[in-house]
Amino acid sequence: MIGIIWGATAAHLLTVSLGLLILYPLRVRLSAMERWAAAAACGLPAVTGLAHLLSAAGLFRRGVLQLLVAVSTIAAVWLYRRSAFGRRAPGEGLSFLPVVFMWAWIAFVAAGPDLTPPGEDAALASAHRFVSRFEAAPWSIGAVWAVPYAIGRHSAAALFHSSLLLPAAAPLGRFGWLAMLLFISHPGLMALGSRAGSAAAFVLSLLVAAGAAALALLHKEWRLTAVAILSAVAAVLAWPGPLDVFPGFVFLKSPYWLVPFLAAFAGWLVTPVKPAAFALAAFAVLTGAPPVTEHLASVQPKAAELEGLVEARFLDVLPPAAVVLTDIPMPGAWTPRRLAPHPEWLDEARRVAAAQWGQRRIQFPSSRIVEVKPSGFIGEAILSSGGQEIPRRPNWRVWPPGAFDGLPFTGSEGPIRIDTGEELAAGELRIIGTEGEPWTPPSGLRRNVVLEWRRRGITHVLVRDPQLVEEFSFHAEYWGVDPLGERNTARLYALR
Amino acid sequence: MRFDNRLARPLAFLALASAWLWNAARAGTCAATTDEAFTALDFAGKPWLEMLAYYDANNHVLHTILVKLSLDAFGWNVVSLRLPALAAGLLYSTMIWRLGRRWFGDSLAFLALCAFTAWAPPAAEYFSLARGYSMALAFLAWALLESEDSGTARWPRVSVAMGLSVASNLVFAIPSAALSAVLMFRERSLRHFRSLIVPGAVLALIINALPLSRAGTDNFYYGAKSFAESLRSIFEWPGYDGLSAAAALVLPLCCLAALTRTATRQTALTAVTALAIAALLALAGAPWPRGRTGVYLAFLILLAALRWLLYWEQAAWPLLLLLPFCWAALPLHHHPEWSGDASSRAIIQRIAADAAPAAKVVIAAEFPYNYAVAFHAREILGSRAQVVRADDPGSSPGYAVTRQGTAPPGKVLFKDAATSVTLVSLNASSK
């Protein structure tokens, strides 16, 4: 847990200190809390750039990152030693209270087993691939997640993501205590904070971009325009796409990214009417409490079921270079091993196991293009003329390509189209698939499936499908697979 | 004819009290209607958290909460079910009394206003029905009364009244928004807008938020398709056919005419602004107010028209002469809009007499009779009764409640000649 918290804190320090270094020459007039938010938002594109620089120089390593954290933090503290990081805005006195509360909550979240639910972690997945040296640094917020990931693994990245809610809440103090309270007790944001997505970074960047732009226009402080632009860049980098998030009981159907703005508006509107403000605050805190929300919310605000996590952790037993084909949905970020991109490749083994083969013969007239629309699966298509097979030439344009590779278990459903580029004499098209008169495949088809997978780079298979588990268990020799173990009813096999 | 103003107060009290007593008598004698039974069974009859975490257009949240409290405290019967509406009737009567005295003093016009608003169809229909419309109307009347004072000192009270009105029925957000706009326009004061908006908005949010968090657009299904249908439906009160036609023609004209007189501008402007906001709603894709969901329009237009007409005190005489027509149209033992439910209590009483004591009773009831039948089955037969839909294939009922034409073969135990609702026993051993 110490490693997780340090990873997140180090990334936060790096982001904020780089942001502060960027803000320093701009000399923008902001309160302490607003400066924190602006520095965090402006620091995000800076960290992305830094990750790319380090990657290009081959220096994206844990030790180098920690050294940079120390250097940038010391530099920021030294530069701002006299300005105390900014003045205090009216009404900001209580800003520290929700921040303290949120730190406590984040520590509580950090103590949990895992923070990454499926589905919404593309940035973390790209960070994982980058840190695992599978891919170059991504041009998204994933490059930022790579920093905590490299220092404290994926949970640190998730915790760092949560920590970005703190600077997002802090400047709302300008709109009164109620604005901050409505923000931090919003169950949708609390749930997003516990995920390793990009939503919190997006909310922070959007808030700072809009706030800085508004301040620049209202107070004619044009230097704030630079802050707005940098934050807008961060918002674009962190765009998380549409998310299914419980909207909360105070702002009802509003999208989560609108919450800080609505909280600011509600704070401005309601705070002066004290009884209403206290009533709304009590309601927000009561209904925002996780047990209450979990019971009443229409959309579960917390990802209680981390489907695929146990199986993903199981893959840690494999060597780093392993590539796993699996039918279990799991985010790539949950495992340091590479997952095969097409789970449907397992259908090839299912076809062979089912052994329902058939063949059809279709006559075609003399033409340049042969096109037929047979039903069912097409594994192989063979042209012949005068009883002789016409060998496929490189200039032929064929569809589906899997029906012309000599492997009856690869292919697809749908039409067959062959453009030979020259007039072809009338002949016969033989289709091998799942329909037609019975066809006996050549022996060794099971082994061929595994060899084809090996050719595509796959080294292991993790399956839960009972049909495949039975095949790989009872006919392991035919397939050429070695069982490695079982976890949560999923079985792992090595391909010979 | 000269009217002795000393008689105004006692006669006005008599008019309001008699209307309330008539509502109370009706609440005690009428069988539960489909919509009331829906409120009781699907909301008020559920545990608190379950009730608060489910929404339907039928759920008038504040009213449902009070109905639950009433049913829990006084038992499962129609009087408990309608107690919040009756209480709202008292509040409404008080507000109308105060509004009338404020507008006309002790006069014949005051008497006419009290009598007409107490016995006019919106009040006569809804204050004996367990629906949120009655409470929302009462709170709207309170808001109108509080808004009579010039200045902004009473705005927090207006706001709270509007908030409670919206919490009682969401469609009252339209007249509440209209009233807020009118008040801000009247006082030319944006500085104090918070005291007019915030208390009520927060109150309505806190009461409505939990159920509304589950609401989708498909939950707001009840409404009219066009403005014409909307206006017609608002003045088409079942059972008041002649009056409905007259009201649909005369009242909007009176309301428009009222715009010409400074003294009536506020109420008339409220009504017209409400129409404008309803139009905006329709443009946004929401259904137009239809019948009861536009009851506030009928109420506001009625008030505006009465205030205009009663500017000439002698106009009170023909208005008072109209009252007997209202009374003649009012049925005591059922609510015309839900006339099919009128015999549901009698049906269950007949089943109770027919069924063996303590035996489990399964009743298949055709939609929409199943709700009212289920309410009274729980009231009279308790937990031994089970009411299923007539089209439920898995049930093996002992009794069927259906329209006469679709009655299954069996012994007919009860037949309502007016509505053709029939109770058939499917037990061979029926008495």
Side-chain angles (χ1 to χ4, degrees), chain A residues 169-254:
Chain A
L172 289 175
R174 178 184 277 267
F175 303 96
W177 58 272
L178 185 63
M180 280 184 303
L181 194 131
L182 292 177
F183 179 87
I184 63 167
S185 58
H186 189 270
L189 284 176
M190 295 275 271
L192 284 177
S194 66
R195 300 175 180 185
S198 306
F202 179 68
V203 165
L204 168 71
S205 310
L206 198 67
L207 179 68
V208 173
L215 284 176
L217 285 172
L218 291 173
H219 299 294
K220 305 208 183 314
E221 280 199 50
W222 303 117
R223 282 172 296 192
L224 275 167
T225 314
V227 177
I229 291 171
L230 261 177
S231 308
V233 169
V236 171
L237 289 176
W239 167 244
L243 293 176
D244 186 15
V245 178
F246 173 63
F249 295 111
V250 176
F251 303 119
L252 292 174
K253 302 291 176 188
S254 318

Side-chain angles (χ1 to χ4, degrees), chain A residues 13-393:
Chain A
L13 281 173
L14 182 66
T15 310
V16 172
S17 57
L18 283 182
L20 285 172
L21 294 177
I22 292 169
L23 291 179
Y24 186 75
L26 293 174
R27 303 271 172 195
V28 289
R29 287 198 299 165
L30 292 170
S31 69
M33 291 297 181
E34 289 165 348
R35 194 179 294 275
W36 181 16
C42 294
L44 290 172
V47 176
T48 305
L50 182 71
H52 277 267
L53 277 177
L54 291 175
S55 173
L59 291 172
F60 195 90
R61 290 201 291 268
R62 194 166 182 262
V64 176
L65 286 170
Q66 293 184 91
L67 185 66
L68 281 172
V69 170
V71 169
S72 62
T73 306
I74 290 167
V77 169
W78 185 76
L79 276 177
Y80 283 84
R81 66 190 183 284
R82 287 192 184 142
S83 60
F85 295 94
R87 63 195 161 76
R88 274 177 56 184
E92 212 181 52
L94 291 171
S95 296
F96 290 96
L97 281 179
V99 170
V100 168
F101 165 77
M102 259 192 151
W103 269 123
W105 173 70
I106 283 174
F108 169 76
V109 172
D114 202 291
L115 302 160
T116 319
E120 294 158 3
D121 62 336
L124 186 64
S126 64
H128 150 67
R129 289 194 292 272
F130 167 51
V131 173
S132 306
R133 300 181 194 287
F134 292 142
E135 285 178 7
W139 281 107
S140 70
I141 210 77
V144 182
W145 300 154
V147 175
Y149 197 98
I151 298 173
R153 306 300 294 170
H154 59 88
S155 288
L159 187 55
F160 168 61
H161 173 252
S162 308
S163 76
L164 293 179
L165 286 175
L166 299 176
L172 289 175
R174 178 184 277 267
F175 303 96
W177 58 272
L178 185 63
M180 280 184 303
L181 194 131
L182 292 177
F183 179 87
I184 63 167
S185 58
H186 189 270
L189 284 176
M190 295 275 271
L192 284 177
S194 66
R195 300 175 180 185
S198 306
F202 179 68
V203 165
L204 168 71
S205 310
L206 198 67
L207 179 68
V208 173
L215 284 176
L217 285 172
L218 291 173
H219 299 294
K220 305 208 183 314
E221 280 199 50
W222 303 117
R223 282 172 296 192
L224 275 167
T225 314
V227 177
I229 291 171
L230 261 177
S231 308
V233 169
V236 171
L237 289 176
W239 167 244
L243 293 176
D244 186 15
V245 178
F246 173 63
F249 295 111
V250 176
F251 303 119
L252 292 174
K253 302 291 176 188
S254 318
Y256 72 91
W257 52 266
L258 208 54
V259 168
F261 302 99
L262 291 174
F265 177 71
W268 169 80
L269 182 72
V270 180
T271 307
V273 187
K274 290 283 178 286
F278 287 124
L280 187 59
F283 178 74
V285 170
L286 188 69
T287 56
V292 180
T293 309
E294 271 180 58
H295 194 84
L296 293 174
S298 54
V299 179
Q300 280 300 319
K302 278 181 137 184
E305 292 176 23
L306 302 176
E307 190 190 350
L309 178 66
V310 172
E311 296 83 351
R313 287 285 174 273
F314 184 33
L315 300 183
D316 288 353
V317 301
L318 299 177
V323 179
V324 183
L325 175 63
T326 179
D327 59 353
I328 299 163
M330 66 175 76
W334 281 358
T335 169
R337 309 292 170 256
R338 180 177 285 191
L339 298 177
H342 300 292
E344 65 272 17
W345 285 346
L346 284 167
D347 290 341
E348 296 164 1
R350 291 191 185 99
R351 279 183 211 116
V352 171
Q356 290 177 339
W357 296 105
Q359 64 174 343
R360 285 166 283 179
R361 294 171 196 275
I362 298 170
Q363 305 299 320
F364 63 86
S366 173
S367 79
R368 189 173 72 90
I369 297 171
V370 179
E371 189 165 10
V372 292
K373 293 178 181 172
S375 58
F377 171 76
I378 303 144
E380 204 58 26
I382 301 157
L383 286 176
S384 58
S385 182
Q388 293 290 313
E389 182 177 335
I390 306 171
R392 181 183 163 183
R393 292 180 189 162

